[in-house]
Amino acid sequence: MRSLEALQPVDYLVIGHLTIDLTPQGKRLGGTAAYAALTAKVLGFRVGIVTAYANELPLDGFEGVTIANYTCEVSTTFENISTPQGRRQKLHALAPRLDYYHIPEPWRRASIVHLGPVAQEVEPSMVRNFSASLVGVTPQGWLRQWDTRGEIHVAEWPEAAFVLGRAGATVMSIEDVGFSEERVAEMSSHAQVLAVTEAAEGVQLYWNGDVRRFPAPRVEELDATGAGDIFAAAFFIRLFTTRDPWEAARFATLLSAFSVQRPGLEGIPTPEEVNACMVEVL
């Protein structure tokens, strides 16, 4: 990791593990931090990642993104398994937990702080440490638990009311709560702004006692991996810029639809796609 004293301030800080994803085509870099950081970079923000991984992770394409990595023995490693009943996930390895003291001091006043756990690795109490920032939360990793074989299941989230009430905005998938509308309703009652993505159906946005649906454009889906993380980064940035959750949802829905047409990190938006979406929502 680069010397902490040498780090410059960032505009978009994302905290969470960069991961290894095991696929039929081989190992692939993944994790909310990867997709969100690269999307924020394309949107013109200075980006920093606080994470922990072993040295085997390939980081091609991360030029211009500063990574504060706390090197460890293993990287968080997932396997996605397709079955007739849907996707199963397994956790094969887990890197160490991340807390507020891991964040370089120059980054603690970032305009946007994105808490992006993938496997319970981000300390939830950090949500109260950024009073000058828009704190965006993607709670997927707090909504997961795993058994002794690494099989991942939907979990309870004891800190939900605490985190949701202090976050400026939250983005999650309906899949994260096992497609439970009851859990979504409960979470929306605590959240300031809650966006619930529903894959190809688009997103439902809860704000100020109102809920609106934003349908996704119909596209040919090749790989949906990371689409929710791309949506989240685009949503947080547009919300920070406009203070309008409805416009932020329209923009993020359009932009994330491009991503599912390409595999893995190739789905990160291009500048041309960003411009096309900006024209569409203005």
Side-chain angles (χ1 to χ4, degrees):
M1 176 182 123
R2 187 186 302 181
S3 168
L4 296 185
E5 291 77 11
L7 294 177
Q8 297 299 309
V10 297
D11 307 309
Y12 193 104
L13 170 63
V14 56
I15 304 166
H17 284 168
L18 296 172
T19 69
I20 294 173
D21 292 345
L22 304 178
T23 75
Q25 292 75 39
K27 294 182 179 180
R28 193 163 75 180
L29 178 65
T32 292
Y35 286 91
L38 292 176
T39 301
K41 174 189 169 186
V42 172
L43 289 167
F45 278 55
R46 296 176 299 172
V47 182
I49 301 174
V50 172
T51 191
Y53 61 84
N55 288 323
E56 80 274 23
L57 276 185
L59 294 173
D60 298 337
F62 279 75
E63 298 81 7
V65 174
T66 306
I67 301 174
N69 175 44
Y70 292 84
T71 306
C72 50
E73 293 184 0
V74 296
S75 299
T76 296
T77 303
F78 288 101
E79 181 181 9
N80 294 322
I81 304 164
S82 296
T83 74
Q85 292 74 39
R87 185 181 69 165
R88 288 174 44 226
Q89 282 190 305
K90 291 188 71 173
L91 179 67
H92 289 269
L94 181 62
R97 195 171 177 87
L98 302 168
D99 209 333
Y100 184 69
Y101 67 84
H102 289 110
I103 302 172
E105 196 282 332
W107 292 4
R108 295 178 181 180
R109 293 172 296 280
S111 298
I112 301 172
V113 176
H114 179 173
L115 304 182
V118 293
Q120 302 276 356
E121 79 276 17
V122 176
E123 170 54 48
S125 65
M126 271 199 278
V127 73
R128 65 187 173 196
N129 290 118
F130 305 100
S131 58
S133 309
L134 170 64
V135 178
V137 168
T138 48
Q140 177 186 62
W142 290 319
L143 292 162
R144 286 173 168 167
Q145 61 185 359
W146 46 92
D147 59 26
T148 56
R149 297 174 299 171
E151 297 276 356
I152 291 176
H153 310 282
V154 175
E156 296 299 320
W157 183 21
E159 303 89 355
F162 169 79
V163 174
L164 293 168
R166 287 162 178 79
T170 301
V171 174
M172 54 176 265
S173 166
I174 189 67
E175 184 180 4
D176 294 338
V177 290
F179 301 92
S180 170
E181 296 289 351
E182 291 77 14
R183 289 195 71 179
V184 169
E186 173 65 18
M187 293 169 71
S188 69
S189 71
H190 298 293
Q192 297 187 42
V193 178
L194 175 65
V196 181
T197 61
E198 299 179 337
E201 298 306 310
V203 64
Q204 288 206 94
L205 184 68
Y206 299 77
W207 176 49
N208 201 27
D210 195 5
V211 57
R212 299 183 189 177
R213 176 180 293 278
F214 296 87
R218 295 300 176 187
V219 297
E220 185 174 346
E221 180 179 309
L222 175 62
D223 182 3
T225 304
D229 303 320
I230 291 170
F231 175 97
F235 181 79
F236 296 150
I237 288 172
R238 197 65 188 151
L239 178 61
F240 173 79
T241 303
T242 67
R243 307 297 175 180
D244 183 345
W246 309 130
E247 180 177 323
R250 287 194 295 271
F251 174 75
T253 300
L254 291 171
L255 193 63
S256 61
F258 284 107
S259 70
V260 303
Q261 301 174 74
R262 302 187 291 270
L265 289 171
E266 293 179 30
I268 296 299
T270 66
E272 293 74 20
E273 290 166 350
V274 171
N275 290 337
C277 293
M278 290 294 293
V279 170
E280 185 84 13
V281 299
L282 294 179

